């Protein structure tokens, strides 16, 4: 019937036919118009996973060497200490290489003969003076003897640090005393030095000043009579001189 209604002139249609025609056209239009495709919902972007902070690697603590008693320090080091005889005086010294002894320049200055005496009573001649620096009060001797050299300190000097001195004060051979570093900045005769309350008397000159790790931290020079403190040249200055000389 719908086809028949379409074939008629729209003006000649009855009211009922017009209504039927409009309904038919509406249905055909509805069929012809495609249904809109539903827009797919976007896939939610996953939130980035927080990168865990790296765990800090713990710094290993340095292995602490067991502290030695004063008597153990003396027994360990005394075989490296010498009594320097110059013919006009005497002082102290110590091995920095197996046949090389360090002492003060003023100990050997003007010497008429040079030899060393060990703690066990052995004596040995000084074969030659390898070098000296009066401004540092340092002299280096090659001797006809071999002994264990004292290790040099590498961590610097700390005020309050324990110190030990071995030497031959006032003719008393291989005496042992202790104290602390009391001042690490001092100029003595234009040379950098430091102070210690470790007793340093005449005859100690040229002897080693050690710390509790058995390392050499200074060369004993003299004392300050007004305060009874000792003056020592730090290892760093000794090492500078020795490296310069051996180049």
């Amino acid at each position: 019937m719908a086809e028949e209604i379409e074939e008629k002139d729209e003006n000649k249609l009855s009211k009922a036919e017009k209504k039927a025609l409009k309904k038919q056209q509406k249905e055909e239009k509805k069929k012809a118009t495609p249904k809109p495709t539903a827009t797919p919902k976007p896939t939610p972007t996953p939130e980035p996973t927080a990168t865990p902070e790296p765990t800090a690697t713990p710094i290993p603590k340095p292995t602490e060497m067991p502290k030695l008693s004063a008597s153990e320090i003396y027994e360990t080091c005394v075989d490296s200490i010498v009594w320097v005889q110059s013919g006009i005086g005497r002082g102290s010294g110590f091995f920095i290489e197996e046949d090389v002894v360090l002492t003060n320049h003023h100990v050997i200055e003007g010497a008429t003969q040079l030899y060393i005496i060990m703690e066990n009573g052995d004596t040995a001649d000084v074969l030659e003076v390898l070098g000296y620096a009066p401004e540092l009060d340092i002299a280096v001797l090659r001797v006809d003897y071999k002994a264990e050299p004292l290790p040099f300190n590498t961590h610097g000097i700390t005020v309050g640090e324990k110190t030990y001195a071995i030497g031959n004060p006032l003719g008393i051979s291989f005496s042992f005393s202790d104290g602390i570093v009391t001042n690490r900045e001092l100029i003595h005769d234009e040379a950098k030095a430091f102070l210690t309350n470790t007793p340093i008397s005449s005859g100690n000159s040229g002897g080693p000043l050690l710390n509790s790790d058995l390392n050499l931290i200074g060369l004993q020079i003299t004392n300050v009579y007004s305060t009874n403190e000792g003056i020592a040249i730090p290892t760093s200055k000794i090492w500078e001189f020795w490296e310069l000389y051996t180049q």
Side-chain angles (χ1 to χ4, degrees):
M1 172 163 178
E3 293 177 358
E4 292 177 359
I5 294 173
E6 287 177 357
E7 290 175 359
K8 292 182 180 180
D9 188 349
E10 188 175 346
N11 293 326
K12 296 180 181 180
L13 295 176
S14 65
K15 201 171 186 179
E17 288 174 330
K18 285 181 180 181
K19 188 175 180 181
L21 180 60
K22 284 183 179 181
K23 184 177 180 182
Q24 179 187 357
Q25 290 174 341
K26 188 175 180 180
E27 288 177 355
E28 289 177 352
K29 186 176 180 181
K30 189 175 181 181
K31 290 178 182 179
T33 304
K35 292 183 179 180
T37 306
T39 304
K41 293 183 179 180
T43 304
T45 304
E47 293 184 4
T49 305
T51 304
E53 294 184 3
T55 304
T57 304
I59 300 173
K61 293 183 179 180
T63 303
E64 293 186 1
M65 297 295 291
K67 297 297 182 181
L68 300 178
S69 67
S71 60
E72 288 173 326
I73 290 173
Y74 178 83
E75 292 298 330
T76 303
C77 298
V78 71
D79 290 339
S80 300
I81 315 302
V82 305
W83 198 353
V84 180
Q85 304 289 326
S86 69
I88 58 172
R90 56 198 170 193
S92 303
F94 54 93
F95 282 85
I96 58 171
E97 290 191 4
E98 66 174 7
D99 62 347
V100 176
V101 166
L102 185 72
T103 187
N104 284 148
H105 175 259
H106 77 259
V107 170
I108 68 165
E109 190 174 19
T112 58
Q113 61 176 327
L114 277 176
Y115 64 97
I116 63 170
I117 303 174
M118 304 299 296
E119 191 269 342
N120 62 7
D122 289 349
T123 62
D125 291 331
V126 173
L127 301 177
E128 61 178 318
V129 178
L130 294 175
Y132 57 88
E135 70 279 7
L136 294 175
D137 202 4
I138 290 175
V140 184
L141 316 173
R142 186 175 300 282
V143 298
D144 190 20
Y145 200 89
K146 291 185 178 181
E148 186 73 23
L150 294 177
F152 278 55
N153 167 61
T154 57
H155 69 69
I157 300 168
T158 305
V159 172
E161 182 175 5
K162 192 70 177 175
T163 56
Y164 300 91
I166 305 177
N168 306 284
L170 306 174
I172 304 171
S173 60
F174 302 97
S175 177
F176 185 64
S177 56
D178 67 345
I180 61 170
V181 174
T182 56
N183 188 313
R184 63 183 180 185
E185 294 290 338
L186 174 73
I187 301 298
H188 173 72
D189 291 342
E190 300 182 5
K192 184 178 179 181
F194 66 94
L195 284 176
T196 173
N197 62 4
T198 307
I200 296 177
S201 302
S202 177
N204 270 116
S205 298
L209 196 66
L210 307 165
N211 63 14
S212 55
D213 294 321
L214 302 180
N215 292 329
L216 175 72
I217 62 171
L219 170 68
Q220 302 173 59
I221 299 177
T222 186
N223 62 0
V224 181
Y225 292 107
S226 60
T227 62
N228 202 33
E229 289 182 297
I231 300 174
I233 293 291
T235 307
S236 58
K237 303 306 293 184
I238 300 170
W239 188 249
E240 285 175 16
F241 168 77
W242 184 237
E243 279 196 321
L244 183 65
Y245 182 79
T246 54
Q247 282 180 352

